[in-house]
């Protein structure tokens, strides 16, 4: 058996072992069924919820919020980041403030947003966009700010105009940073969407799992967690693929 | 020649980082006292400063901050120990690493906030609930980084250890561990950032303790001055802890002859 | 000599408070291949940069074609030593060459032909669609040279272009360069720390001193290389004139 195949099988076996552990723990009541539903119950809840449609609706709502907020965040973040990044003066005056906001949890803006938008979908969207914007903005600033001296000299020697420099050298040079910022922004968008739904009682997976926990419906809770995990995985994988495509020139 | 038409004097240069925030605060002060006088969302920074002082005096500031920092620290410590242990094992054994790959990739993408309702179900509200969510959030990135750090120990060093016939425990303690320490502190710095953000998020979403909760309460009592004070304080605490973690990371990197 | 293409008239350069180059005068005629050698810190790179207009002299005048140099110009092509950093990693070989044409606002229709021509001159026609990361060091340096040729420059400044390459690649690129320069009729200023390379390639060798003083100025020697062309790696390096020049110039590199 080839090495890769063997590695894959072993990986699957470990995963199945964990699944078996779950099955054992829930069936033998090591952990109460209130907290730990059986794998079958989770799967049943998942199937039922998807068939009946409400899990689809919730997933769609969360996904929609996440993607819309992320999209806005990226557009704003890249635009602002580029403007700030290409100007050493702008960076000098603004960077300390940007660095101060960097560690701020996006959710901390939620109370302020509630005062402005009330407990609404717009509130959640605003906070998602705001929170997701920072990783993109900071990464874009970094990307545009760090153009290697040599590239600047080449542009100078060829007498490239400023606009040409920004689009032909600045932007492609910043692309690896921008793409990684966009990936980070996606995880932020997912997290803030879920929290927003929990706080503002907006229809979505966040609210669904909160209600399930309150009603002690563990299998529904776990079904929701599984879906959120899938969303996290899929969105990250999609962006990773996009990143590989755009950065294929890096491979030797 | 800069904007002011003078060459920068060193003293003035120190003030530049505060220029933009000062302008924003001044604008906010002006707006909040005129057009936005009855706003529930924003308040003049001067009033926010007063609210901050009050919270400091009556102890609420310190107790909430202590809770958040404490739970973040404990959650991080728990995650670090587990991540260090498992990460080292996976880093040293390629077979273990490839065998665990799928399981890690399945569990890792689960957003930590998705576990908040579960933690609530199991622990109710309080410290343990928050610690468990924080630990989950910090564990995965630190695991990945630790594993990578061990895997990237210079193969030449490992060959040296074989030539010197070091036993595996001696090899781990004298060679692998010191080699990965700079990278571990990079992981720690990341963990600190995540721990604090998750702590505040859990408090905002559910847990009636700590800085995030205080922030929510301030908003709910329609006290924008206090809310802004908390917002600023959360930002400051976050910035300080990250700055400290960065200092620590740099100091370790210098001391350990950063081979990373 | 008739109108020199490049002339340094008592040019001195001070950087960071230190005088890198004490007043030096030097001319380069059209079609000449001038090599500049000297120990580290003697200002050979700085001299090149001044000729290209990247650095302004603190005294004296650098002139090109009779006119004072005020800044970079498309007439002067600059080949950097760190080729990896001078190429755009996200563009293919052809697109990298195209950059020079885009900057010169050559109409899009005319570009493919010029690119193909220049790639053929450096022998990279088969690799036009590859990215720099997929090429060896020597090939990357040839891409940079190709881009410079696409500028159709009057002057080519080369700053230790082969310094980062292994000996075999270096030798083959030296010969390629010599042939190319002869075919295109280029005027070249070539900085190197390799004495033998300087003699092998150059029509003239300029030797610079580090830490210039009043009685030991930067310009230490200006020597003609009277070795016939075309030159070959094996025979030229054993030519008596080659060995004589080597002995004469050895001391200028800081060996004592």
């Amino acid at each position: 058996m080839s090495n890769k195949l063997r590695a894959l099988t072993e990986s699957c076996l470990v995963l199945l072992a964990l699944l078996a552990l779950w099955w054992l723990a829930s069936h033998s009541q090591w952990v109460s069924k209130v907290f730990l539903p059986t794998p079958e119950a989770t799967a049943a809840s998942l199937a039922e919820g998807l068939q009946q449609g409400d899990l689809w609706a919730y997933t769609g709502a969360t996904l929609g919020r996440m993607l819309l907020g992320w999209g806005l965040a990226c557009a704003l973040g890249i635009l602002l980041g580029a403007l700030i990044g290409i100007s050493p003066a702008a960076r000098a005056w603004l960077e300390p403030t940007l660095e101060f906001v960097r560690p701020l949890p996006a959710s901390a803006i939620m109370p302020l947003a509630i005062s402005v938008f009330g407990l609404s979908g717009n509130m959640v969207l605003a906070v998602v966009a705001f929170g997701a914007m920072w990783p993109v903005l900071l990464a874009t600033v970094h990307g545009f700010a760090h153009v290697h001296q040599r590239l600047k000299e080449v542009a100078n020697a060829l007498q490239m105009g400023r606009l040409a420099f920004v689009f032909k050298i600045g932007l492609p040079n910043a692309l690896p940073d921008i793409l990684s910022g966009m990936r980070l922004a996606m995880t932020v968008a997912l997290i803030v969407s879920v929290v927003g739904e929990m706080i503002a009682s907006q229809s979505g997976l966040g609210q669904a799992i909160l209600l399930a926990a309150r009603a002690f419906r563990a299998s529904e809770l776990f079904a929701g967690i599984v879906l959120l995990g899938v969303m996290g995985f899929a969105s990250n994988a999609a962006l990773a693929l996009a990143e590989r495509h755009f950065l294929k020139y890096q491979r030797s | 020649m800069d904007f002011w038409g003078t060459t920068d004097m060193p003293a003035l240069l120190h003030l530049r980082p505060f220029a933009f925030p000062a302008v924003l605060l001044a604008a906010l002060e002006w707006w909040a006292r005129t057009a936005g006088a009855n706003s529930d969302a924003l308040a003049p920074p001067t009033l926010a400063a007063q609210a901050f002082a009050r919270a400091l005096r009556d102890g609420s500031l310190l107790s909430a901050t202590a809770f958040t920092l404490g739970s973040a620290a404990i959650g991080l410590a728990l995650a670090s120990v587990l991540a260090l242990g498992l990460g080292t094992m996976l880093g040293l054994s390629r077979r273990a690493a490839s065998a665990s790959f799928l399981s890690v990739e399945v569990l890792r993408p689960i957003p930590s906030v998705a576990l908040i309702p579960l933690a609530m179900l199991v622990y109710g509200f309080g410290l343990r609930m928050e610690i468990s969510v924080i630990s989950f959030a910090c564990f995965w990135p630190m695991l990945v980084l630790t594993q990578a750090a061990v895997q990237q120990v210079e193969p030449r060093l490992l060959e040296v250890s074989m030539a010197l016939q070091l036993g595996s425990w001696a090899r781990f303690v004298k060679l692998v561990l010191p080699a990965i320490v700079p990278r571990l502190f990079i992981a720690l710095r990341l963990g600190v950032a995540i721990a604090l953000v998750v702590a505040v998020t859990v408090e905002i979403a559910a847990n009636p303790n700590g800085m995030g909760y205080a922030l929510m309460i301030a908003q709910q009592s329609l006290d924008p001055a206090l809310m802004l004070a908390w917002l600023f304080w959360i930002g400051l605490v976050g910035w300080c802890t990250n700055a400290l973690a960065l200092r620590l990371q740099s100091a370790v990197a210098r001391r350990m002859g950063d081979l990373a | 000599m008739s109108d020199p293409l490049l002339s340094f008239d008592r040019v001195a350069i001070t950087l960071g408070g230190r005088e890198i180059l004490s007043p030096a005068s030097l001319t380069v005629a059209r079609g000449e291949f001038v090599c500049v050698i000297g120990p580290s810190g003697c200002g050979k790179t700085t001299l090149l940069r001044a000729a290209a207009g990247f650095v302004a002299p603190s005294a004296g005048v650098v002139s090109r074609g009779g006119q004072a140099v005020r800044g970079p110009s498309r007439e002067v092509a600059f080949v950097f030593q760190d080729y990896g950093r001078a190429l755009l990693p996200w563009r293919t070989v052809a697109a990298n060459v195209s950059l020079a044409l885009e900057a010169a606002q050559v109409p899009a229709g005319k570009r493919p032909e010029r690119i193909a021509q220049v790639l053929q001159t450096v022998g990279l026609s088969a690799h036009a669609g590859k990215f720099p990361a997929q090429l060896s060091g020597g090939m990357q340096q040839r891409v940079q040279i190709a881009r410079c040729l696409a500028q159709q420059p009057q002057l080519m400044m080369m700053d230790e272009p082969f310094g980062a390459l292994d000996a075999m690649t270096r030798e083959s690129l030296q010969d390629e360069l010599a042939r190319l320069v002869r075919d295109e009729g280029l005027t070249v200023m070539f900085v190197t720390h390799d004495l033998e390379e300087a003699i092998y390639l150059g029509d003239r060798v300029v030797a610079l001193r580090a830490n210039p003083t009043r009685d030991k100025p930067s310009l230490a020697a200006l020597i003609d290389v009277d070795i016939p062309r075309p030159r070959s790696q094996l025979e030229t390096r054993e030519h008596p004139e080659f060995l004589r020049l080597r002995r004469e110039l050895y001391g200028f590199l800081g060996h004592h």
Side-chain angles (χ1 to χ4, degrees), chain A residues 148 150 153 159 168 172 252, chain C residues 49 72 82 85 90 102 133:
Chain A
H148 194 273
R150 203 61 73 232
E153 288 172 352
Q159 305 232 274
K168 294 191 184 188
S252 53
Chain C
R49 286 167 159 265
D82 44 354
R85 292 243 169 257
W90 55 83
E102 293 163 26

Side-chain angles (χ1 to χ4, degrees), chain B residues 77-101:
Chain B
L78 197 57
S80 308
V81 166
L82 290 172
L84 179 63
L86 190 59
T88 311
M89 281 200 293
L90 295 184
L92 288 174
S93 156
R94 192 169 304 167
R95 191 160 186 189
S98 68
S100 63
F101 180 72

Side-chain angles (χ1 to χ4, degrees), chain A residues 155 159-166:
Chain A
Q159 305 232 274
M160 279 179 92
R162 187 117 165 98
L163 211 61
F165 179 79
V166 169

Side-chain angles (χ1 to χ4, degrees), chain A residues 6-8 10-12 14-16 18 34-36 92-94 96-97 99-101 103-112 114-116 190-192 194-195 198-199 206 209-210 212-214 216-218 221-222 224-225 228-230 232-233 236, chain B residues 2-4 16-21 24 40-42 95 97-103 105-118 120-122 193 196-197 200-201 204-206 212 215-216 219 227-228 231-232 234-236 238-239 242:
Chain A
R6 193 191 64 180
L8 191 59
E10 282 184 349
S11 221
C12 289
V14 169
L15 191 56
L16 286 173
L18 284 176
V34 175
F35 306 148
L36 188 68
W93 290 96
L94 295 177
T97 313
E99 284 305 314
F100 183 81
V101 182
L104 188 69
S107 314
I109 299 294
M110 247 176 234
L112 182 58
I114 293 175
S115 297
V116 175
L190 179 56
I191 289 171
V192 178
V194 171
V195 174
M198 286 180 183
I199 295 180
I209 57 177
L210 190 61
R214 286 203 184 127
F216 294 93
R217 289 200 291 268
L221 170 58
F222 268 65
I225 292 177
L228 283 171
V230 169
F233 178 84
N236 194 53
Chain B
D2 64 354
F3 176 70
W4 303 106
R16 191 164 60 179
F18 301 101
F20 184 67
L24 283 181
D40 288 331
L42 293 171
R95 191 160 186 189
S98 68
S100 63
F101 180 72
L102 263 186
S103 313
E105 291 303 305
V106 160
L107 292 172
R108 190 161 68 109
I110 298 176
S112 53
V113 292
L115 295 183
I116 291 178
L118 180 59
M120 262 169 56
L121 189 62
V122 176
L196 201 54
V197 168
V200 172
T201 306
I204 287 176
L215 182 65
M216 287 296 275
Q219 186 272 323
M227 184 180 65
L228 282 181
L231 187 58
F232 169 77
I234 292 174
L236 189 61
W239 184 86
N242 277 282

